[in-house]
């Protein structure tokens, strides 16, 4: 166990730490393995087989010439001339010369071993090979009887071609592919580094704005997700700051009225309770207004809370919201739904959205319809009312905190803001349109 941990630590030290280095290593290792396998296949199969066949062919020709001369000694000159013409072999026999082995330059490839093996097998004698006799020929010296057989063989009969060219192609192609891979990996790594730097700056409070998606599809998706997160966090901070300022401003008025009412109450003498009734009712109304403002702020600040998404029957939630709206004085004309849809959502947060929208519809009109349907991979929940609606020019403004169209009859201006934040947390959206009932249509879109 300790040895395995030591080996793992050693491997970690040897491996590059950067993403670019590890990516290039992932490219380099299969490339090297492929090149090694290609070289092994070339040397182990093609080159060995071809070299062996060429060597056997040349030595077999020499053996045939030797046998012909032995059987017809008088025709030796004619046989040698025919060999030079027909077989391209320049043969000379040096009688009385002693064979002296010499150290010859090494030649790349298996040709040396194959040619020596063929001579040893057929002539049963050693041989001397000079691959540098001339640029286009190879010289063989074979001890034969009381002399030495000197043979000049064209290089093309023994050499399969310039082996260095194949090796250079292997190495060159590997280097070229590695450079190209390095360029592509570098572009991807730059996109990742830009994303990491933007995330770090945003975490330090430096808002550099949205980043331009670049690189591979997954990196572009990550950049787009970061931009959406950045916009949502900025909107969250802006809205919370506006809510705090708005609550502080709105609470100041009822608190001032309470302070004035308490300051104007008599502190001495006997006072009839009936005389204090109007002041007490005004203070109770101020306290109720403060409770409503604080409740709206807490509802907005809670957002989705700590609730986890669970498979939820949206039609059941719609029916519960419709029943609660009816008890509050609203009139639900119909609930249009072809079937129940089970979707993973945060049920309390989704119920809060629908209750806020139904309450808006009840205050502005009173009559409304609910509908639930699935279109492709999206779920649409629609609430139509018969109220005055919202002008096209104001539909973006109503999503801002404390932007209310309720007028003097109530409303904190946080209902649509809360709905939009909760739907955004579910990956959905809120769309405002004109309703067939004459009022406003609020369409909630959820991913399936």
């Amino acid at each position: 166990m300790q040895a395995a941990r030591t080996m793992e630590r050693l491997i970690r030290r040897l491996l590059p730490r950067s993403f670019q280095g590890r990516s290039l290593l992932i490219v380099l290792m299969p490339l090297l393995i492929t090149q090694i396998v290609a070289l092994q296949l070339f040397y182990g199969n093609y080159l060995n087989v071809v070299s062996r066949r060429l060597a056997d062919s040349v030595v077999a020709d020499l053996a045939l010439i030797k046998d012909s001369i032995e059987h017809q000694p008088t025709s030796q000159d004619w046989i040698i001339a025919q060999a030079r013409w027909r077989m391209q072999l320049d043969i000379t026999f040096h009688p009385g010369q002693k064979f002296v082995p010499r150290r010859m330059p090494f030649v790349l490839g298996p040709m040396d071993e194959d040619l020596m093996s063929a001579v040893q097998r057929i002539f049963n004698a050693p041989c001397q090979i000079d691959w540098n006799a001339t640029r286009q020929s190879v010289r063989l010296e074979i001890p034969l009887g009381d002399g030495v057989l000197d043979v000049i063989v064209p290089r093309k009969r023994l050499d399969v071609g310039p082996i260095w060219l194949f090796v250079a192609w292997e190495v060159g192609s590997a280097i070229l592919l590695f450079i190209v891979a390095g360029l592509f990996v570098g572009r991807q790594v730059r996109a990742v580094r830009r994303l990491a730097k933007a995330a770090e700056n945003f975490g330090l409070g430096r808002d550099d704005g949205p980043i331009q998606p670049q690189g591979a599809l997954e990196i572009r998706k990550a950049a787009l997700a970061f931009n959406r997160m950045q916009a949502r966090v900025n909107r969250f901070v802006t809205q919370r700051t506006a809510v705090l300022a708005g609550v502080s401003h709105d609470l100041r008025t009822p608190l001032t009225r309470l302070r004035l009412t308490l300051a104007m109450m008599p502190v001495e003498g006997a006072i009839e309770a009936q005389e204090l009734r109007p002041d007490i009712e005004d203070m109770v109304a101020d306290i109720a207004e403060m409770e409503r403002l604080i409740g709206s702020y807490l509802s907005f600040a809670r957002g989705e809370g700590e609730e986890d998404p669970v498979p939820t029957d949206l039609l059941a939630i719609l029916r519960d919201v419709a029943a609660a709206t009816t008890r509050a004085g609203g009139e639900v004309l119909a609930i249009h739904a072809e079937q129940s849809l089970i979707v993973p959502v945060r049920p309390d947060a989704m119920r809060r959205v629908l209750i806020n929208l139904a309450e808006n519809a009840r205050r502005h009109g009173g009559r409304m319809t609910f509908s639930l349907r699935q279109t492709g991979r999206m779920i649409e929940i629609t609430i139509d009312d018969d109220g005055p609606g919202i002008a096209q020019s104001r539909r973006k403004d109503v999503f801002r905190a404390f932007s209310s169209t309720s007028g003097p009859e109530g409303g904190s201006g946080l209902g649509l803001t809360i709905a939009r934040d909760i739907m955004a947390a579910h990956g959905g959206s809120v769309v405002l349109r004109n309703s067939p009932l004459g009022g406003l249509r609020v369409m909630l879109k959820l991913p399936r």
Side-chain angles (χ1 to χ4, degrees):
M1 190 68 179
Q2 185 65 27
R5 291 180 178 176
T6 304
M7 181 61 67
E8 183 179 357
R9 287 196 295 267
L10 180 60
I11 293 175
R12 287 181 178 177
R13 290 179 181 177
L14 294 177
L15 288 176
R17 295 180 177 273
S18 65
F19 175 70
Q20 184 174 8
R22 294 191 176 187
S23 300
L24 290 177
L25 185 63
I26 292 173
V27 174
L28 180 62
M29 293 306 295
L31 186 60
L32 289 179
I33 293 173
T34 303
Q35 300 294 344
I36 292 172
V37 170
L39 286 172
Q40 180 61 32
L41 289 176
F42 178 77
Y43 276 105
N45 292 316
Y46 172 78
L47 186 59
N48 282 334
V49 171
V50 173
S51 175
R52 199 161 50 244
R53 289 177 180 176
L54 292 175
D56 290 345
S57 174
V58 170
V59 177
D61 289 345
L62 292 177
L64 178 61
I65 295 170
K66 171 180 170 294
D67 293 341
S68 299
I69 293 175
E70 289 177 351
H71 284 82
Q72 297 181 4
T74 58
S75 302
Q76 177 178 348
D77 294 339
W78 181 85
I79 293 174
I80 293 176
Q82 291 296 315
R84 183 179 295 111
W85 179 40
R86 303 287 184 180
M87 301 177 184
Q88 300 178 346
L89 299 176
D90 190 358
I91 301 174
T92 305
F93 183 69
H94 302 283
Q97 183 175 345
K98 187 176 179 181
F99 178 77
V100 180
R102 299 186 303 275
R103 188 180 182 86
M104 292 297 178
F106 173 77
V107 62
L108 183 63
M111 289 81 74
D112 263 340
E113 292 82 0
D114 291 339
L115 190 54
M116 287 184 180
S117 176
V119 172
Q120 181 70 32
R121 186 175 64 254
I122 295 177
F123 285 90
N124 194 22
C127 74
Q128 189 77 44
I129 306 174
D130 184 5
W131 290 89
N132 297 323
T134 64
R135 295 186 59 183
Q136 298 180 351
S137 63
V138 179
R139 185 172 186 173
L140 292 179
E141 294 180 1
I142 305 172
L144 191 61
D146 59 347
V148 176
L149 185 65
D150 191 350
V151 183
I152 304 297
V153 184
R155 183 179 287 269
K156 63 183 179 181
R157 292 202 58 184
L158 292 172
D159 197 351
V160 296
I163 301 176
W164 64 267
L165 185 61
F166 176 79
V167 176
W169 178 82
E170 287 280 309
V171 176
S173 62
I175 295 175
L176 179 61
L177 290 176
F178 187 70
I179 293 175
V180 172
L183 293 177
F184 278 98
V185 170
R187 289 181 60 87
Q188 307 306 316
V189 170
R190 282 197 297 272
V192 174
R193 288 174 179 169
R194 289 178 62 253
L195 180 60
K197 184 177 180 181
E200 183 179 3
N201 290 340
F202 185 67
L204 295 175
R206 305 169 188 167
D207 189 0
D208 299 330
I211 61 176
Q212 181 68 28
Q214 293 179 350
L217 178 62
E218 292 78 7
I219 301 178
R220 290 174 179 268
K221 288 183 177 180
L224 292 174
F226 173 79
N227 289 338
R228 288 194 294 267
M229 179 204 69
Q230 187 179 32
R232 184 181 173 193
V233 170
N234 288 334
R235 186 176 68 247
F236 175 87
V237 173
T238 302
Q239 289 176 351
R240 264 52 179 182
T241 303
V243 166
L244 288 174
V247 169
S248 175
H249 176 270
D250 291 343
L251 287 178
R252 187 178 296 116
T253 300
L255 285 173
T256 302
R257 289 200 299 262
L258 284 173
R259 187 181 296 109
L260 290 175
T261 301
L262 291 174
M264 294 178 63
M265 282 185 175
V267 295
E268 295 179 355
I271 304 173
E272 293 289 338
Q274 191 68 24
E275 296 179 3
L276 298 178
R277 185 181 181 88
D279 295 331
I280 294 175
E281 290 179 350
D282 291 339
M283 288 191 293
V284 169
D286 289 335
I287 293 173
E289 182 180 357
M290 293 170 61
E291 288 179 345
R292 179 179 61 80
L293 290 173
I294 294 174
S296 298
Y297 167 69
L298 291 177
S299 178
F300 176 74
R302 272 198 308 268
E304 55 185 301
E306 300 297 329
E307 190 180 11
D308 294 326
V310 296
T312 306
D313 188 349
L314 295 181
L315 181 57
I317 293 183
L318 274 180
R319 288 171 177 167
D320 293 343
V321 172
T325 303
T326 302
R327 291 194 300 270
E331 182 180 355
V332 179
L333 301 178
I335 299 178
H336 303 290
E338 299 178 358
Q339 59 180 353
S340 297
L341 294 175
I342 308 298
V343 181
V345 296
R346 299 173 175 85
D348 291 341
M350 187 59 60
R351 188 175 285 106
R352 186 182 306 125
V353 170
L354 294 173
I355 287 176
N356 284 341
L357 298 178
E359 179 64 18
N360 287 343
R362 185 190 67 80
R363 284 201 310 267
H364 290 86
R367 299 194 307 163
M368 67 197 77
T369 61
F370 296 91
S371 66
L372 174 66
R373 66 172 183 167
Q374 179 177 354
T375 57
R377 299 180 60 86
M378 300 296 292
I379 304 296
E380 292 183 358
I381 303 175
T382 304
I383 301 176
D384 292 297
D385 63 54
D386 62 347
I390 299 177
Q392 183 73 28
S393 59
R394 294 208 56 215
R395 289 180 183 175
K396 290 184 179 180
D397 298 334
V398 296
F399 286 105
R400 292 203 300 264
F402 299 107
S403 179
S404 175
T405 60
S406 299
E409 64 270 16
S412 62
L414 292 174
L416 287 175
T417 307
I418 295 173
R420 183 190 59 183
D421 287 352
I422 293 177
M423 293 303 297
H426 284 82
S429 60
V430 182
V431 180
L432 303 182
R433 295 178 179 173
N434 294 326
S435 171
L437 298 180
L440 180 67
R441 163 174 285 187
V442 182
M443 181 181 296
L444 310 178
K445 294 186 177 182
L446 281 171
R448 178 65 171 168

